Amino acid sequence: MRLDKYLKNTRLIKRRTVAKEACDQGRVSINNQVAKAGSEVAVGDQIDIHFGNHDVRIQVVQVKENVGKKEADQLYRLID
């Protein structure tokens, strides 16, 4: 699945266009490498997102196309 779509499905970023812009600005990386919006996300990948003053680091647990609000937080695991 594309990175921008995954970020939207997990609801870490509200809109896909905003996720794409964050990727284009170099604020998102997969496995410690800056990633583009079209980069593929796989189970086990580590994604780092830089939001202004704080960073979020997650590990991909599942990749699903259609996800409801209640299932969104089950797609990833937060890493400290």
Side-chain angles (χ1 to χ4, degrees):
M1 173 183 295
R2 290 174 53 101
L3 176 59
D4 57 347
K5 187 172 182 180
Y6 182 80
L7 293 174
K8 185 218 174 262
N9 283 351
T10 58
R11 296 189 172 46
L12 289 167
I13 297 181
K14 196 171 191 175
R15 294 187 200 105
R16 190 168 172 182
T17 54
V18 175
K20 182 182 180 311
E21 290 172 3
C23 293
D24 291 344
Q25 293 172 359
R27 292 188 279 152
V28 181
S29 60
I30 298 176
N31 299 325
N32 297 320
Q33 294 183 351
V34 176
K36 295 184 179 182
S39 300
E40 288 295 314
V41 175
V43 174
D45 284 348
Q46 180 177 314
I47 299 175
D48 297 313
I49 308 166
H50 308 288
F51 291 117
N53 293 334
H54 67 70
D55 299 336
V56 175
R57 178 173 286 169
I58 64 164
Q59 182 174 15
V60 178
V61 175
Q62 281 184 322
V63 178
K64 282 185 163 180
E65 289 290 326
N66 299 318
V67 181
K69 274 187 180 180
K70 294 180 181 179
E71 297 176 316
D73 61 347
Q74 297 172 1
L75 297 178
Y76 63 92
R77 181 176 58 89
L78 284 174
I79 300 173
D80 292 329

